[in-house]
């Protein structure tokens, strides 16, 4: 690749590339990575980007403040998730008033906070597997486990009323798209109105007995204040809740939908999921690495020239980091397409890195481990009820997750 990464290179048209197989990455991913750690590409809306493909370069890019997510949101192009733009300061307001206050909920989704939800997750997994058993094979793993489990857990975490949880997850999933559409913008608008109403109701009402014992995120955020005692703007709280809702349901659904068929390729590995220990822990990490719930990080703007992998990303470039490609880089992961639980590597980039590390990673890991363990114990003979080639992916999303995964036992 040329010294200046946006010059002298034919762009990789058609990104995100089509997949010939639902469980495997696009062939172009490896082809372009072999050419260099950075490639020029064109998004579906015509936005030209620099695509970071190598593991070490991706990790560096995620932590480089000169590659700014906020600056790109203010400039407009390359928005990957509807409703995620950071609002510009107006009427003399301080810019930080519009930032998303993740620190307010970090403890609730930390590994320790996730442990408090483990009994709920375990009960819900058992209930959903009971439903699978009663329905009888073949059943759709997405409809019976991968979709409803995160809906319940995220609803419990946020404090969403039970009747609304499936609806909230459906709307939240439709916001995770490569380029905003009328549908995704409409979903964001509905969720903002709904979540804002729940925050307002929480401020005006006293918690019931269940909320007093374990208040949800909405109850805890209602009327939240900064360290100096000033209130956090409702817009920032709603954005925080919206992002938790979208990420919380999406990552687990994708990892289960793709991960179960992947691990079923090796019966010994599937059986190993039944018991706690280093093999299961390592396999959970390998499935997260291999499925990459968010194949691309949100785009960034190079606010100045940035040296990356021996190349220069010119200031003003839109930069897109391919987490999927980084997780499959043989320079970091020999034999990257196969599950190797002995790696035990938590340094994959499925949850980002550095200051951009997903605050809900611990919760997602716990949900995935409990779901996989429950499946392996309850259905030791689980198998795909269709050929792998028959699996189809949902189009248009950042993470193309399987529409259906029929299984039998």
């Amino acid at each position: 690749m040329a010294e200046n990464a946006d010059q002298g290179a034919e762009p990789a048209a058609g990104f995100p590339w089509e997949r010939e197989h639902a469980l495997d990455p696009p062939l172009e991913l490896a082809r372009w990575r072999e050419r260099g750690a950075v490639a020029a590409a064109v998004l579906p809306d015509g936005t030209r980007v620099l695509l970071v493909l190598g593991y070490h370069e991706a990790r560096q890019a995620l932590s480089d403040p000169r590659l700014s997510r906020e600056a790109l949101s203010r400039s407009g192009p390359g928005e990957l998730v509807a409703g995620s733009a950071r609002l510009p300061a107006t009427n003399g307001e301080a810019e930080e008033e519009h930032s998303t206050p993740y620190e307010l909920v970090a403890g609730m989704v930390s590994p320790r906070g996730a442990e408090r939800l483990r009994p709920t997750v375990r009960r819900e997994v058992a209930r959903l597997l009971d439903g699978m058993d009663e329905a009888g094979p073949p059943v759709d793993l997405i409809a019976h486990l991968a979709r409803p489990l995160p809906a319940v857990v995220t609803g419990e975490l946020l404090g969403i009323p039970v009747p609304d949880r499936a609806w909230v997850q459906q709307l939240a999933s439709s916001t995770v798209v490569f380029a905003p559409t009328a549908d995704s913008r409409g979903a964001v608008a509905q969720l903002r109105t709904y979540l804002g109403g729940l925050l307002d109701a929480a401020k005006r009402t006293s918690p019931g007995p269940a909320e007093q014992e374990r208040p949800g995120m909405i109850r805890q955020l209602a009327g939240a204040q900064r360290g100096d005692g000033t209130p956090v703007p409702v817009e920032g709280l709603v954005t925080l809740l919206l992002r938790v809702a979208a990420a919380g349901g999406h990552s687990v659904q994708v990892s289960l939908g793709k991960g179960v068929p992947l691990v079923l390729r090796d019966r010994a590995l599937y059986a190993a999921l039944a018991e706690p220990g280093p093999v299961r822990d390592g396999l959970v990490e390998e499935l997260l690495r291999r499925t990459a719930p968010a194949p691309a990080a949100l785009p960034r703007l190079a606010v100045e020239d940035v040296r990356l992998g021996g190349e220069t990303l010119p200031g003003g470039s839109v930069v897109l980091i391919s987490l999927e490609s980084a997780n499959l880089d043989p320079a970091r992961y020999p034999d990257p397409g196969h599950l190797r639980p002995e790696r035990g590597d938590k340094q994959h980039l499925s949850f980002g890195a550095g200051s951009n590390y997903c605050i809900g990673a611990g919760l997602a890991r716990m949900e995935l481990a409990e779901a996989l363990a429950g499946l392996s114990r309850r259905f030791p003979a689980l198998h795909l009820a269709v050929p792998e080639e028959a699996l189809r992916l949902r189009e248009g999303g950042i993470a193309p997750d399987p529409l259906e995964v029929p299984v039998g036992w």
Side-chain angles (χ1 to χ4, degrees):
M1 169 148 316
E3 173 74 10
N4 194 327
D6 72 338
Q7 296 178 1
E10 184 68 23
F15 183 85
W17 300 295
E18 291 185 5
R19 297 166 188 265
E20 296 184 7
H21 193 289
L23 302 181
D24 294 326
L27 297 176
E28 286 87 349
L29 213 59
R31 291 171 184 164
W32 282 93
R33 189 176 56 238
E34 289 170 0
R35 297 187 184 188
V38 180
V42 180
L43 297 183
D45 64 359
T47 301
R48 297 178 67 90
V49 301
L50 295 179
L51 189 62
V52 181
L53 299 168
Y55 174 87
H56 297 289
E57 292 77 13
R59 177 169 283 277
Q60 178 185 337
L62 287 167
S63 301
D64 194 320
R66 296 171 297 174
L67 300 176
S68 171
R69 172 65 189 154
E70 288 77 14
L72 180 59
S73 294
R74 290 196 298 272
S75 67
E79 192 69 42
L80 272 180
V81 177
S84 65
R86 182 173 179 177
L87 300 175
T90 57
N91 300 325
E93 294 174 325
E95 184 175 299
E96 54 267 22
E97 289 184 1
H98 297 291
S99 62
T100 306
Y102 291 107
E103 69 280 357
L104 295 177
V105 299
M108 296 185 70
V109 292
S110 67
R112 181 177 296 180
E115 280 303 309
R116 290 194 289 269
L117 281 171
R118 188 181 292 273
T120 298
V121 173
R122 192 166 289 171
R123 286 194 301 269
E124 186 61 20
V125 167
R127 186 186 70 82
L128 292 171
L129 296 183
D130 285 344
M132 281 180 57
D133 208 2
E134 292 172 6
V139 300
D140 176 18
L141 189 73
I142 302 298
H144 282 80
L145 181 65
R147 187 183 302 125
L149 175 62
V152 170
V153 176
T154 304
E156 184 82 6
L157 176 67
L158 293 178
I160 301 291
V162 173
D164 297 343
R165 289 176 179 178
W167 173 78
V168 168
Q169 186 190 6
Q170 181 181 8
L171 283 180
S173 294
S174 68
T175 69
V176 188
V177 295
F178 257 102
T181 64
D183 287 344
S184 66
R185 290 191 178 101
V188 168
Q190 288 185 70
L191 283 174
R192 285 194 179 280
T193 299
Y194 175 77
L195 294 171
L198 291 183
L199 281 169
D200 183 60
K203 286 190 294 184
R204 292 185 288 101
T205 60
S206 300
E211 284 187 305
Q212 289 177 346
E213 182 179 347
R214 189 169 59 199
M217 195 176 287
I218 290 170
R219 174 67 63 179
Q220 293 201 24
L221 288 178
Q225 297 182 337
R226 298 192 182 92
D228 61 4
T230 58
V232 178
V234 172
E235 181 70 20
L237 297 177
V238 169
T239 297
L240 173 58
L241 293 170
L242 178 59
R243 292 182 179 179
V244 171
H250 190 71
S251 60
V252 174
Q253 180 174 329
V254 173
S255 290
L256 278 175
K258 286 186 175 180
V260 170
L262 281 171
V263 78
L264 286 175
R265 291 175 173 177
D266 188 323
R267 303 304 306 184
L269 289 182
Y270 178 70
L273 288 169
E275 299 299 331
V279 174
R280 187 173 80 184
D281 293 344
L283 191 50
V284 167
E285 296 306 322
E286 278 289 272
L287 287 173
L288 286 166
R289 176 190 68 82
R290 183 65 172 75
T291 58
L298 295 175
R300 286 143 170 81
L301 186 73
V303 297
E304 60 182 77
D305 287 0
V306 176
R307 291 287 293 174
L308 192 70
E311 299 166 5
T312 299
L313 280 58
S317 302
V318 178
V319 179
L320 188 62
I321 304 164
S322 175
L323 307 181
E324 181 175 34
S325 176
N327 282 348
L328 295 170
D329 187 350
R332 170 73 181 190
Y333 299 105
D335 191 22
H338 289 86
L339 302 176
R340 299 285 183 257
E342 65 274 11
R343 286 192 236 261
D345 185 10
K346 288 190 174 184
Q347 299 303 308
H348 57 76
L349 300 184
S350 291
F351 294 121
S355 60
N356 291 282
Y357 192 73
C358 175
I359 61 172
L363 179 59
R365 282 188 169 101
M366 183 271 288
E367 279 186 71
L368 188 58
E370 289 293 332
L372 291 169
L375 264 178
S376 183
R377 287 194 294 263
R378 185 69 169 270
F379 302 111
L382 192 79
H383 59 270
L384 283 179
V386 297
E388 283 187 359
E389 293 73 19
L391 298 177
R392 295 290 177 263
L393 301 177
R394 180 171 64 95
E395 301 296 335
I398 289 181
D401 50 309
L403 292 169
E404 293 181 338
V405 179
V407 294
W409 51 88

